[in-house]
Amino acid sequence: MIYTVGSTTILHQFPEVTMGVVTDYCKSKDVLAIDTETSGVDWNSKKILMFQIGDDDSQFVIDTRNVSIDPLKEILESKLILAHNVKFDYKFILNNYGIRLKNVWDTMLAECVIHCGKKNVGYSLNVLCERYLGESLNKSTRSQFSALKNGQPFTIEQIKYGAKDIEYLTILRNFQLNNGIKHNNLEEIMNLENRAALAFAEIEYNGMSFDTEAWLKLAEQADKSYIEKEKELDYLILSDPRLQSFVLPGIQTDLFGAEPKKTSVLWSSPTQVSKVLQVLDSTIENTNMRELFKRQKKYPLIKTLIDYRKEGKLVTTYGKDFIKHFNKHSQRVHTLFWQILNTGRVSSGQRRSKTNPNQAPNMQNIPAIDKYRNCFKARNGWKIVTMDYSGQELRLIAQGSQDPIWLKAFKEGKDVHGMVAALIFNIDISRVRNKPEFLRGKSYRDVAKTINFGLAYGMSYMKLADTLNIPQLDAKEFIDRYFNQLPAIKKFLKSLGNYGKRNGYIKTFKPFRRIRWFEDHENLDKMTNRDRMIRLGEIERASKNTPIQGSGADMIKYALALIIEHINEYKFHDKVKIVSQVHDEISCEVRDDFTDDWVIVQETLMLEAGKHICKDVDMVVDYTITQEWSK
């Protein structure tokens, strides 16, 4: 049954009720569904036009241009609230009414949890209604709301549309809970994702202050460096007798007065670059960075080409156009998160599209050098407190493998990389930083560190050889020595790989036990022998990687949930704001007079999150307190 509140016209199809009726109904329910229709997608400048609340029995469509939803504050902050993509609605509710949701179920996130790892699933509300209910929602009505002018009343179609969006949420949650979540024992991870969603929403909502002038100076420097690297590449062509076929026979003039081009190579073109590299080395099959890194010491042109591409990344992704992300209404830069990737990690950023005119920056890929990070600043009278887990993945490997050497090293606070190096190369710990000639400029410890971290990504000896620029036979010998000295780690990783190949899925550590599916596992018998072996190799590597990376993601999300719940419980919103989450790092903007107190709180909560997963290995948190965001 659809009811309207605050309608400007009498619509006989839908009874008109007061907010008192709405609150009385909602108080009697434990679970309520909500949705919003807004005048745009930027919560900093746009308004909620329609607010819908109810369940599958009764839906209340409130015209918020005429009626405030303030009477629902206590209800929204105390009941279990269902929403689809709750972050969107939450930010508008928070900005328009100062209401903070505390307990949510996001049907979009639930679907991501149920189908994690699968491709082309589809997570829109319309897809879910078709999948579970056989119903199709007409989403074309959505675009009509932003076109409403001067209090223009809602149409019957718009009211039905708004009501339908919440009518199905209760039913969908029941399907998800009983057919996917409980069936696969995913209650813990679903609860975590719902709790973390509110923290990610706060990060998106808060954004970070941004120094556009400083950024433009960096962009100008990057432009100059990019041009200089291109000139260096041209010079290397001109000075190498083998590459004279790429030298122009005459001077290539420019109508706009730019310096004449003396070579025919367009360095931004992989095809043209490939032709140059083939002349230098016929074994170079492509121009990807992996191939280039292997040969950079042998060919100065390749080393310069790598530098040129790095500068190009700074120009194209982090150049002058980046300041378009600066929101003139909030005076800050805001990102958007996709909360669940295959491993459980998040991604940041969103490209502009027809359906979404917003373009959000990828804040997780901001160059990890201070001159870029320092462009993001705390407001006056505040500081940025940044904390990250030290050696998170290594500690997770120690927890999972129960390797006695690693457990002892972490317990005693010793240098794990140095200890491993001493074991692999049978040398005294005092020599691990030496750089013998056969390691080609690398130290013993460098090799051990590369293997230690590579384990979390299923690194093969071939990959190790590429990374260290050493012969494959040497790389294989180092890994063999490694596993001979650390058999518990070898057994742990092998068991993960076998589990994934055998079952077609892999799980993260207790208590969350996120599942990543390998959906084509059931089709392995239909593949050719070659394709089956390739796919099993991919599954094996992913099965070794996901429990480590995914458990790290679970840990950081649990820390975020604890932090936002602490802020809410003690009403610290005027003292602390979560502003960033990058990999294993969380940054909060904290009022100057509260930073010392907050450091203790955030460290305690992050360590609590670590202990929730790593029972036998203590996590360590490093932190900085700065005026500008720093690495």
Side-chain angles (χ1 to χ4, degrees):
M1 184 69 180
I2 301 174
Y3 302 89
T4 61
V5 183
S7 175
T8 56
T9 59
I10 298 175
L11 299 170
H12 297 291
Q13 290 90 337
F14 313 114
E16 177 87 11
V17 298
T18 65
M19 283 299 293
V21 173
V22 179
T23 55
D24 287 344
Y25 183 86
C26 293
K27 284 178 181 178
S28 69
K29 302 294 180 180
D30 295 324
V31 181
L32 292 161
I34 68 163
D35 190 33
T36 60
E37 305 303 334
T38 64
S39 59
V41 295
D42 180 10
W43 62 91
N44 294 290
S45 60
K46 302 302 181 181
K47 299 295 182 183
I48 298 176
L49 304 177
M50 177 190 288
F51 182 82
Q52 308 95 274
I53 189 169
D55 53 23
D56 51 321
D57 291 325
S58 299
Q59 305 89 45
F60 300 92
V61 178
I62 304 169
D63 188 337
T64 51
R65 298 169 300 177
N66 303 314
V67 176
S68 172
I69 66 168
D70 283 335
L72 295 171
K73 178 179 173 65
E74 183 180 346
I75 291 167
L76 291 170
E77 293 187 344
S78 61
K79 303 285 186 178
L80 175 59
I81 302 299
L82 314 185
H84 191 82
N85 188 16
V86 70
K87 292 195 286 99
F88 180 89
D89 302 301
Y90 178 81
K91 289 178 292 186
F92 272 92
I93 294 168
L94 179 56
N95 193 57
N96 282 244
Y97 298 101
I99 296 172
R100 281 186 159 86
L101 306 180
K102 307 289 176 60
N103 186 16
V104 300
W105 177 286
D106 189 328
T107 49
M108 185 182 76
L109 289 181
E111 208 67 6
C112 293
V113 166
I114 292 168
H115 298 287
C116 184
K118 298 179 182 178
K119 298 178 182 178
N120 304 317
V121 174
Y123 301 109
S124 71
L125 183 57
N126 187 42
V127 167
L128 267 62
C129 286
E130 290 180 348
R131 180 176 298 147
Y132 291 107
L133 311 177
E135 297 280 351
S136 181
L137 301 179
N138 182 7
K139 304 304 287 187
S140 62
T141 308
R142 176 191 296 169
S143 61
Q144 298 175 9
F145 288 94
S146 60
L148 290 173
K149 296 179 180 179
N150 302 320
Q152 182 181 350
F154 300 134
T155 65
I156 292 174
E157 181 185 36
Q158 289 166 348
I159 291 174
K160 286 182 176 179
Y161 168 84
K164 284 289 183 186
D165 270 5
I166 62 168
E167 179 183 349
Y168 293 134
L169 289 181
T170 305
I171 305 171
L172 286 174
R173 175 177 176 263
N174 289 335
F175 270 100
Q176 291 174 329
L177 189 58
N178 295 314
N179 299 333
I181 300 298
K182 288 184 177 179
H183 178 72
N184 292 301
N185 298 314
L186 294 168
E187 292 96 331
E188 287 280 357
I189 194 64
M190 185 63 217
N191 180 50
L192 174 63
E193 293 293 355
N194 283 325
R195 293 168 67 187
L198 298 177
F200 285 117
E202 290 273 356
I203 296 173
E204 294 178 4
Y205 179 83
N206 292 326
M208 298 182 79
S209 295
F210 181 60
D211 188 336
T212 56
E213 185 176 339
W215 189 273
L216 286 173
K217 287 181 180 178
L218 290 177
E220 194 172 316
Q221 292 171 10
D223 284 341
K224 291 179 180 178
S225 296
Y226 188 56
I227 293 171
E228 287 303 314
K229 289 299 176 186
E230 188 173 82
K231 289 180 180 178
E232 286 183 37
L233 288 168
D234 281 347
Y235 173 78
L236 290 168
I237 290 281
L238 295 170
S239 59
D240 192 327
R242 295 169 296 177
L243 302 175
Q244 292 308 295
S245 62
F246 300 101
V247 177
L248 291 171
I251 295 177
Q252 184 78 20
T253 59
D254 189 291
L255 294 175
F256 301 99
E259 188 173 326
K261 177 81 170 165
K262 296 180 180 179
T263 76
S264 62
V265 183
L266 179 63
W267 293 106
S268 59
S269 167
T271 301
Q272 293 190 30
V273 169
S274 180
K275 292 178 180 178
V276 174
L277 299 185
Q278 281 283 317
V279 174
L280 288 179
D281 187 337
S282 61
T283 66
I284 299 177
E285 297 180 355
N286 58 62
T287 66
N288 63 38
M289 293 298 274
R290 178 180 175 180
E291 290 293 317
L292 297 182
F293 276 125
K294 288 192 293 185
R295 297 171 172 85
Q296 61 177 321
K297 292 185 177 180
K298 187 175 181 180
Y299 301 105
L301 186 144
I302 290 180
K303 174 65 171 67
T304 305
L305 179 61
I306 291 172
D307 294 338
Y308 170 77
R309 287 186 174 178
K310 289 178 179 177
E311 293 293 340
K313 177 74 172 178
L314 295 179
V315 169
T316 55
T317 306
Y318 304 108
K320 296 175 182 177
D321 283 349
F322 188 88
I323 64 170
K324 293 178 181 178
H325 298 306
F326 182 72
N327 189 297
K328 63 181 181 181
H329 300 285
S330 68
Q331 296 292 295
R332 296 168 81 83
V333 170
H334 304 266
T335 191
L336 295 172
F337 291 98
W338 180 257
Q339 194 168 318
I340 305 175
L341 298 175
N342 286 344
T343 61
R345 282 188 169 186
V346 302
S347 64
S348 166
Q350 183 170 280
R351 293 183 178 180
R352 186 179 289 112
S353 65
K354 290 182 180 179
T355 56
N356 184 16
N358 261 12
Q359 182 173 354
N362 183 349
M363 294 296 288
Q364 297 200 326
N365 276 359
I366 296 294
I369 46 179
D370 279 341
K371 67 179 182 179
Y372 278 92
R373 278 199 167 192
N374 287 171
C375 293
F376 299 90
K377 303 177 180 294
R379 70 195 81 190
N380 291 334
W382 293 61
K383 292 290 189 296
I384 294 177
V385 175
T386 297
M387 292 193 184
D388 69 310
Y389 288 111
S390 176
Q392 184 196 50
E393 290 181 343
L394 298 183
R395 294 171 192 271
L396 285 164
I397 293 172
Q399 175 66 38
S401 67
Q402 291 292 299
D403 182 85
I405 295 174
W406 277 35
L407 290 175
K408 182 180 179 182
F410 284 123
K411 185 177 182 179
E412 297 177 355
K414 292 184 177 178
D415 176 12
V416 175
H417 301 312
M419 287 183 63
V420 171
L423 286 172
I424 294 176
F425 296 102
N426 193 26
I427 58 175
D428 187 79
I429 192 72
S430 63
R431 296 178 53 204
V432 296
R433 294 184 183 273
N434 293 352
K435 298 179 179 180
E437 186 175 343
F438 75 95
L439 289 182
R440 303 186 181 186
K442 302 291 183 182
S443 71
Y444 296 111
R445 187 179 183 278
D446 291 334
V447 175
K449 183 177 180 179
T450 302
I451 298 176
N452 282 339
F453 282 116
L455 293 174
Y457 298 88
M459 181 179 63
S460 66
Y461 71 87
M462 292 177 286
K463 175 65 175 176
L464 178 64
D466 288 348
T467 303
L468 296 176
N469 192 31
I470 59 176
Q472 288 188 3
L473 286 176
D474 288 352
K476 186 176 185 306
E477 182 181 353
F478 296 157
I479 289 181
D480 288 343
R481 288 185 198 170
Y482 182 98
F483 285 131
N484 286 336
Q485 294 292 334
L486 302 164
I489 292 180
K490 180 179 182 180
K491 181 180 178 181
F492 168 62
L493 293 173
K494 186 176 181 179
S495 68
L496 291 179
N498 288 338
Y499 187 97
K501 290 189 294 182
R502 183 173 63 251
N503 295 292
Y505 63 86
I506 194 68
K507 297 182 179 182
T508 59
F509 292 1
K510 294 178 181 179
F512 297 114
R513 304 297 277 166
R514 181 192 306 278
I515 295 179
R516 175 184 182 175
W517 300 97
F518 305 113
E519 62 180 334
D520 57 349
H521 182 269
E522 60 187 29
N523 297 322
L524 287 173
D525 290 342
K526 301 176 184 177
M527 299 180 185
T528 64
N529 287 337
R530 181 177 181 276
D531 289 343
R532 181 167 60 252
M533 293 303 295
I534 291 174
R535 182 56 184 145
L536 282 172
E538 294 170 345
I539 291 174
E540 181 178 18
R541 287 189 293 276
S543 297
K544 293 177 180 178
N545 165 242
T546 297
I548 300 166
Q549 276 199 25
S551 297
D554 295 345
M555 187 183 297
I556 204 75
K557 288 178 180 179
Y558 190 52
L560 283 170
L562 292 176
I563 289 170
I564 193 59
E565 287 161 8
H566 189 93
I567 292 171
N568 287 336
E569 180 181 357
Y570 292 96
K571 296 180 170 54
F572 285 158
H573 306 107
D574 62 337
K575 298 178 180 179
V576 181
K577 300 180 185 299
I578 313 178
V579 294
S580 173
Q581 193 280 301
V582 178
H583 307 311
D584 61 355
E585 168 194 293
I586 298 173
S587 296
C588 292
E589 194 171 4
V590 187
R591 211 170 64 190
D592 280 346
D593 61 352
F594 193 58
T595 52
D596 291 341
D597 294 328
W598 181 252
V599 164
I600 297 171
V601 171
Q602 185 173 337
E603 181 179 27
T604 300
L605 295 176
M606 290 183 69
L607 292 177
E608 180 183 340
K611 184 59 69 176
H612 200 62
I613 294 173
C614 277
K615 306 291 186 184
D616 305 311
V617 182
D618 288 336
M619 283 289 156
V620 174
V621 174
D622 297 325
Y623 72 88
T624 59
I625 303 174
T626 54
Q627 189 63 41
E628 300 88 12
W629 190 31
S630 60
K631 67 184 181 73

